[in-house]
Amino acid sequence: MNVSGIMHIDSPECRTLTLADPLLGKAIRLIGDFEYGAHPNTEDFFFSTIIGQMMSNTVADGIEKRITAMCNGKMTADAILTLGMERIRSAGVSMQKAEYMTLFAQKVKAEPQFLMNLAEKSNGEVLKELTALRGIGNWTAKMYLLFVLNRTNILPYEDGAFLQAYRWLYQTQDTKPTSIKERCQVWKPYESIASRFMYRLLDYGYTKWPTIYDAEAHYE
């Protein structure tokens, strides 16, 4: 899987997923080809995800826009440290999140090659290094692996949007990590590709229908 481009549903990866998981195959055919790309490997990804933790997208977007404006257009470690915690909090960020953002900025400032070096490490090593930082949990680390480093074998079962699409596609309320990992075992080694299709079920509005079969009947 390239860093950016078009996901073709007749690619070897998508054909493998369709054969391994017929329900996912229905979603793949329904969604069709789509463009994808990696978030730039920059500090603002982490500041953005810290802001968005346990918060609606609408509220988080508003706060992020205010802080980005304070940072003259881009949230960098230098800009965050220049602002200071009180100004960060004035944008609507909690004391705890302001502390997490400051600590992350200090980490990047002290180790300028930190983010660049992560790209050379295994998934497990990236998860270990990131989650060792205060304010960075499995969800943030996996979002980084999936959307910044574009790793192909990430299963983001901590993510609310993924879980919403998962419940809808498989018509289940059982979203325990062990259950998801067992059901999605057949996605290996293309969990990230499958997950991108899951996200698009939401983005394209297909989950407003009762089931994948209803969505198929309406759109095909």
Side-chain angles (χ1 to χ4, degrees):
M1 186 173 172
N2 296 324
V3 172
S4 62
I6 298 176
M7 181 60 64
H8 293 285
I9 64 172
D10 62 351
S11 68
E13 297 90 343
C14 288
R15 289 200 300 267
T16 297
L17 288 168
T18 297
L19 288 172
D21 186 342
L23 269 180
L24 178 65
K26 287 180 175 293
I28 289 172
R29 289 191 296 272
L30 191 59
I31 291 166
D33 300 344
F34 62 84
E35 293 184 2
Y36 67 90
H39 188 288
N41 187 353
T42 55
E43 301 135 32
D44 65 352
F45 174 87
F46 285 96
F47 297 127
S48 177
T49 53
I50 290 171
I51 291 168
Q53 290 169 0
M54 306 298 291
M55 185 178 288
S56 73
N57 289 339
T58 301
V59 174
D61 287 347
I63 293 173
E64 184 176 340
K65 286 178 182 177
R66 289 194 289 274
I67 295 180
T68 300
M70 291 178 181
C71 293
N72 296 317
K74 189 172 184 180
M75 293 185 290
T76 64
D78 284 338
I80 291 297
L81 291 174
T82 298
L83 285 182
M85 288 183 58
E86 288 306 314
R87 286 202 67 197
I88 294 171
R89 289 192 66 202
S90 73
V93 176
S94 69
M95 172 66 83
Q96 187 176 55
K97 287 184 180 180
E99 181 183 3
Y100 292 159
M101 292 171 72
T102 300
L103 288 172
F104 186 80
Q106 290 172 344
K107 172 73 172 180
V108 172
K109 185 75 171 176
E111 300 179 35
Q113 298 301 309
F114 175 67
L115 293 178
M116 185 176 297
N117 290 340
L118 287 179
E120 306 301 321
K121 298 181 183 294
S122 69
N123 292 347
E125 290 170 330
V126 172
L127 284 167
K128 183 178 180 180
E129 289 207 24
L130 287 178
T131 56
L133 305 177
R134 288 185 63 192
I136 305 294
N138 280 336
W139 175 74
T140 301
K142 282 192 175 181
M143 293 299 100
Y144 181 75
L145 283 165
L146 179 57
F147 293 115
V148 179
L149 297 186
N150 247 332
R151 300 291 171 85
T152 61
N153 52 339
I154 301 300
L155 184 62
Y157 52 77
E158 298 89 347
D159 185 60
F162 174 87
L163 292 177
Q164 186 178 342
Y166 177 89
R167 283 192 293 266
W168 177 81
L169 181 62
Y170 297 107
Q171 295 292 293
T172 181
Q173 294 302 313
D174 182 2
T175 55
K176 295 190 294 292
T178 52
S179 300
I180 295 175
K181 286 189 282 189
E182 182 178 355
R183 184 187 287 272
C184 298
Q185 180 72 23
V186 296
W187 292 0
K188 289 181 178 293
Y190 305 124
E191 294 102 319
S192 296
I193 296 173
S195 298
R196 287 180 182 274
F197 280 101
M198 299 292 279
Y199 286 124
R200 276 164 176 75
L201 287 172
L202 287 177
D203 294 342
Y204 294 178
Y206 293 128
T207 57
K208 69 182 180 181
W209 301 98
T211 69
I212 186 74
Y213 302 101
D214 296 292
E216 276 186 321
H218 181 81
Y219 289 103
E220 292 189 344

